[in-house]
Amino acid sequence: MKKILVSVIAMMTLFVSSCSDMLDVDSGREVDVPELNQASDSLFYVLGIMQAMQQAGDAYVLQNELRGDLASLTSYADVDMLQLASFDATAENKYDSAYVYYRIINNCNYYLAHRDTTIMDGTYNVARNEYAVVLSFRAWAYLQLVRNYGRVKFITKPLESLSDIENDKSEYVDINTLVSRLADEGTQALKLFSGSDLPYGTSAIGNHTIAKMCIPVDVMLGELYLEAGRYAEAADYYYKYLLKYKMVATDQRSAVEFSKLFNMALPSDYTNDVSNTWMGENFQTISTDFSLNGRISYLPMAEDKFRGVTSALPEMFGYDYYSYVEDERNSGERYLDEIQIVPSAAYNHLADSSMYYYTSRFDGQSTVKGQLKIGDQRGSARFRTSPELNDTNEYLYIYQEPQIILYRGTTVWLHLAEAFNRMGHPDLAFAILKDGITTDCLNPMTVSYLSDESRTLLTTRYPFCIGEAASIFSASATNRNFGIHRHGCGDASGTAGTTSLYQLESEAARKIAEIEKQFADDALFSPATSQEDANAELINAVEDLLCDEYAMEFAFEGTRYSDLMRLARHKNASSPASYGANFGGRWLSKKLGHKTTKNLEEESNWYLPYN
C-alpha cells in the first residue's frame, strides 16, 4: 500500500486528480491507491476530498460574489475577473471551471465505490458517518455545478483513466432531477443518512477540527430541497439539524460605528451599543474549539504554498497575508493599496439606509424601543480602515485569515425562514428575523403577529415549542433564541406598540412600496388587487426582506449570486398574477442588469459557459 504523507492543511496528494478536465493520470500509468477496507485508511481519502474542496474554494467565492450585486471591481482587477463580473466570461476564463467541482465528485465517487461499509467495532458501524459526509461533499459540488451551468453531467462512477472519460455516457440533468438523484433515489440517497453524526469527534489537524470541515447531511438535504423548491422538505431537515445540535441564534450584535452618530440629534434615552459579538463569534480565527457559536462548515486554507492549497482572496480584498513570515503576521496587519474587490454602491446603500433599533436606557422603561436611521452595523463591522496606510480605503475583515466559510447557523435559520415563507407562512419567516422562534411564539399576547396556523405548525410538523425542543428554544433559557436582524440592526424584538418599531405589517408595506416604485416603468407589472394576489404579494415582500438580510449577513462569503438565482426561480414559479409573467427574471434583471449588456430576463443568460 502506498505510503501517504499528511501535512498540516495540505493533507494529501489526490489519488484521483485532474486531467482532461477530470484526471491527472498519465495514459497507461496505473493509479496506486491504498485499500478502503480499514478504518485508518479511509480518513486519508476524506482528507484528499477536503483538499479538492480547498482547490474549489476561490472559484466558489468569486463566481458568486463577482456576479452578484454586492461587490465591485477596481482598476487592479484582472481581465478574467472583469469578464466574470460582466457576464462575459468565456470557457477559457480562469475562474470558470467545472473541473474543480468534478474533481471533488470523482474523488467522492472513488471512495463511495470502494469503501467497505460493513466494518464494525462491536455494534458501531465504523464507516457510516464518514460515508454520509462524503455523500454531502459530492452533493455540495453538484449543487455548485447546477447553479453555475443550469444542467450538469451526472456521474456516479469513478473515472480512473482517460478512456473512462472518453467513453462516459452519463446523462445531463437539471436541478430538479439532480436533487432527486442525490437525495431521494438508490442506496446512496442522502436522506437515508439523515441524522448521521459528524465523524472524527474533536480530532484536529493543526488548529482545525476535522469535523468542522465536514458538511452535515441534514444541512445538505435542506439546501438541496430548498434549491428545488421543495420547501416543506427543506424545512424538515433544517429543523432536524437545529434540534440535533441545539443551534440557537444567540444574542449576536455589531457595535454601532461611532462616526455615524456625529452631527446627529440623538434621543435622550439612547445609549451607544459597543457590543461586537457578531463579528467575534462568526469571523475570528477558527480553532479546535468545536463549540464556537455560529460556524458549521468551512474550508481552511494553507498558511503558505509549501503546506498546501493557498487562497488568492486575502490579496484580492487588499490584505497581504502570504508575503511575510508568521511572526510578523501575528504581530500586525498589512494592507495593500491595490485592492481588487470593494463594496458596491448597492451594498453601501442597503447598509446605510436600514433603521437601527434600540432599547431606552431609562429605568422603568426598559421595554420601550426607539430607532435611528444609522444603517445596518454589519456593514461597518465587516470592513476596517488600514492602521498602516494614510488613506480612506476600507478592507474586508473576513479574509484576513485564509478560510472560506460554507455554512453558519445563521444560514440554516434564514433558509428555514425562506422555506417557511414560500410554504405560505411569511409571519413565521419574519419571526426568525425579529424575535427568534421560541416558546413565546405560542402566546398571542407576547408574539401577536403569528397566525393560528403558524402557531399550530410549531407544535406539529416543526415542534420547536413542545417536547424536547421546548427546553432548547425556550424564551426563558439562558442561551435563548434571538432574531437574526439584531445582528446588524440592534434590538428589534418585541411585538406591540411602543415595545417595537420593527413590525411585519410596516416592513412588508415598505417593501411592497419599494417594489412598486422599482417596477413602475414595467408594463407587465401592476399592484395586487385580489386577495389571492395580496397574499402572494406579502410572501414576495417577505422574500425580498430575506434577500436584504442575506446581503447584510453573508456578503462576500460566496453565496450572493446563488441566492439571487434561487429567489428568481422561485418568483417565476409562484408570484402574484398581477406582477406578470417571468417576474423572477425581470426582478433579477433589475438587480444585476447594470452589470452587463446581456438580457438577464432570459434564464439562459444566467449561467456560465460550460468548459
Side-chain angles (χ1 to χ4, degrees):
M1 181 173 62
K2 184 177 181 179
K3 183 178 180 182
I4 303 169
L5 300 177
V6 183
S7 62
V8 176
I9 305 306
M11 298 178 180
M12 65 174 279
T13 301
L14 296 180
F15 293 105
V16 185
S17 188
S18 64
C19 175
S20 187
D21 278 358
M22 185 68 69
L23 304 172
D24 189 13
V25 180
D26 293 335
S27 180
R29 181 164 63 88
E30 184 177 351
V31 182
D32 184 16
V33 296
E35 298 296 327
L36 273 168
N37 59 5
Q38 299 179 32
S40 58
D41 284 339
S42 63
L43 174 58
F44 295 130
Y45 279 86
V46 176
L47 294 176
I49 294 167
M50 290 176 175
Q51 187 188 63
M53 292 281 289
Q54 288 177 310
Q55 291 167 330
D58 281 9
Y60 162 73
V61 172
L62 294 173
Q63 288 161 359
N64 272 291
E65 296 306 328
L66 296 190
R67 290 186 292 166
D69 58 336
L70 307 180
S72 290
L73 294 174
T74 71
S75 60
Y76 297 109
D78 65 35
V79 171
D80 289 290
M81 294 170 72
L82 293 167
Q83 290 178 345
L84 184 64
S86 62
F87 292 78
D88 293 320
T90 66
E92 286 70 42
N93 191 286
K94 65 183 178 181
Y95 303 114
D96 169 20
S97 178
Y99 133 74
V100 297
Y101 299 113
Y102 274 117
R103 177 167 49 193
I104 299 167
I105 291 163
N106 205 45
N107 279 267
C108 291
N109 284 342
Y110 188 92
Y111 174 98
L112 297 169
H114 295 285
R115 180 60 170 137
D116 183 350
T117 59
T118 65
I119 302 173
M120 303 293 291
D121 182 2
T123 60
Y124 174 70
N125 187 312
V126 172
R128 177 180 170 82
N129 293 337
E130 184 181 78
Y131 192 90
V133 161
V134 173
L135 288 173
S136 284
F137 284 138
R138 185 175 69 171
W140 181 87
Y142 266 125
L143 182 58
Q144 309 321 309
L145 280 171
V146 80
R147 285 168 167 173
N148 281 325
Y149 304 106
R151 295 177 70 252
V152 297
K153 200 169 191 179
F154 186 62
I155 305 169
T156 58
K157 295 180 179 179
L159 305 180
E160 300 177 50
S161 68
L162 297 178
S163 62
D164 284 351
I165 298 171
E166 293 166 356
N167 297 324
D168 180 66
K169 304 298 183 185
S170 300
E171 64 177 325
Y172 283 84
V173 299
D174 61 10
I175 179 59
N176 295 315
T177 304
L178 179 69
V179 169
S180 294
R181 296 281 193 275
L182 291 172
D184 301 328
E185 301 172 4
T187 58
Q188 292 180 349
L190 199 58
K191 70 180 183 181
L192 297 177
F193 296 85
S194 173
S196 297
D197 293 322
L198 292 171
Y200 316 124
T202 57
S203 298
I205 297 177
N207 292 324
H208 301 277
T209 307
I210 298 174
K212 281 285 189 180
M213 306 175 210
C214 299
I215 302 173
V217 168
D218 290 319
V219 171
M220 199 66 244
L221 282 165
E223 295 295 281
L224 291 171
Y225 288 131
L226 184 66
E227 196 79 20
R230 295 165 61 174
Y231 305 115
E233 291 167 281
D236 287 342
Y237 290 103
Y238 290 140
Y239 168 77
K240 191 170 183 177
Y241 175 80
L242 292 167
L243 178 62
K244 179 180 177 67
Y245 289 97
K246 301 178 174 60
M247 186 67 72
V248 296
T250 56
D251 185 14
Q252 298 177 12
R253 286 168 288 158
S254 301
V256 173
E257 185 181 10
F258 188 70
S259 63
K260 292 186 175 181
L261 303 178
F262 288 164
N263 302 319
M264 287 189 66
L266 294 173
S268 60
D269 65 346
Y270 173 75
T271 299
N272 190 26
D273 187 351
V274 297
S275 171
N276 199 19
T277 53
W278 177 74
M279 176 58 69
E281 293 187 0
N282 285 288
F283 302 108
Q284 66 189 17
T285 302
I286 297 175
S287 72
T288 53
D289 184 352
F290 190 69
S291 65
L292 282 173
N293 185 59
R295 293 181 293 272
I296 293 174
S297 180
Y298 75 105
L299 305 176
M301 309 303 280
E303 294 291 311
D304 57 61
K305 65 182 180 180
F306 301 108
R307 302 186 190 184
V309 181
T310 58
S311 172
L313 294 174
E315 181 179 358
M316 288 177 174
F317 284 100
Y319 184 62
D320 185 10
Y321 184 83
Y322 289 108
S323 67
Y324 54 101
V325 299
E326 188 170 348
D327 288 345
E328 291 176 344
R329 181 187 303 133
N330 293 335
S331 64
E333 297 175 329
R334 293 191 177 183
Y335 297 88
L336 302 169
D337 283 322
E338 300 84 5
I339 305 175
Q340 299 167 60
I341 306 174
V342 295
S344 69
Y347 175 84
N348 289 328
H349 173 75
L350 184 60
D352 292 340
S353 62
S354 299
M355 300 301 299
Y356 183 87
Y357 301 90
Y358 67 92
T359 302
S360 171
R361 66 183 176 85
F362 292 142
D363 293 340
Q365 299 183 47
S366 60
T367 61
V368 175
K369 310 296 173 69
Q371 62 182 9
L372 294 171
K373 194 172 183 179
I374 58 174
D376 191 308
Q377 301 306 298
R378 283 170 290 193
S380 53
R382 196 175 257 111
F383 288 89
R384 298 187 176 183
T385 56
S386 169
E388 299 176 357
L389 303 175
N390 185 22
D391 61 23
T392 58
N393 288 334
E394 291 187 313
Y395 299 86
L396 184 66
Y397 178 73
I398 62 176
Y399 292 118
Q400 293 185 16
E401 290 290 334
Q403 54 200 14
I404 296 169
I405 296 174
L406 300 181
Y407 297 108
R408 297 196 264 127
T410 310
T411 313
V412 179
W413 277 112
L414 288 179
H415 285 185
L416 176 62
E418 183 182 328
F420 278 162
N421 183 53
R422 278 293 171 185
M423 289 168 61
H425 298 277
D427 52 346
L428 272 183
F430 192 74
I432 290 173
L433 292 180
K434 177 176 163 44
D435 295 300
I437 291 180
T438 69
T439 50
D440 273 355
C441 289
L442 298 185
N443 185 350
M445 299 298 293
T446 306
V447 181
S448 59
Y449 54 87
L450 289 182
S451 68
D452 290 341
E453 292 80 5
S454 291
R455 292 186 214 282
T456 298
L457 206 62
L458 296 180
T459 60
T460 53
R461 185 163 183 168
Y462 310 105
F464 281 100
C465 298
I466 61 171
E468 175 191 0
S471 61
I472 300 168
F473 302 103
S474 170
S476 60
T478 302
N479 194 34
R480 63 157 289 175
N481 208 26
F482 283 87
I484 304 300
H485 200 59
R486 77 190 286 113
H487 290 184
C489 295
D491 190 1
S493 60
T495 56
T498 57
T499 62
S500 178
L501 297 174
Y502 182 65
Q503 299 281 0
L504 173 58
E505 184 177 353
S506 57
E507 288 300 300
R510 176 184 63 80
K511 182 57 73 174
I512 289 169
E514 182 181 302
I515 293 166
E516 290 179 356
K517 181 179 180 181
Q518 187 179 28
F519 283 84
D521 61 349
D522 187 328
L524 295 178
F525 182 93
S526 61
T529 54
S530 69
Q531 186 58 50
E532 181 180 2
D533 273 1
N535 293 339
E537 186 177 57
L538 175 60
I539 289 171
N540 183 73
V542 170
E543 188 170 72
D544 278 31
L545 291 175
L546 288 170
C547 183
D548 291 348
E549 199 72 28
Y550 293 162
M552 299 316 302
E553 183 70 20
F554 304 126
F556 316 111
E557 292 179 44
T559 65
R560 185 58 175 174
Y561 186 63
S562 294
D563 286 341
L564 294 176
M565 280 199 300
R566 183 181 67 254
L567 297 180
R569 285 200 311 274
H570 295 167
K571 290 175 188 297
N572 273 343
S574 180
S575 284
S578 61
Y579 282 14
N582 191 33
F583 175 67
R586 289 152 48 221
W587 175 86
L588 187 67
S589 182
K590 294 282 188 184
K591 290 276 189 185
L592 301 173
H594 65 282
K595 296 171 67 85
T596 179
T597 58
K598 292 185 177 179
N599 180 12
L600 293 183
E601 293 185 18
E602 296 292 334
E603 185 172 346
S604 60
N605 290 326
W606 299 357
Y607 302 109
L608 290 169
Y610 190 83
N611 65 350

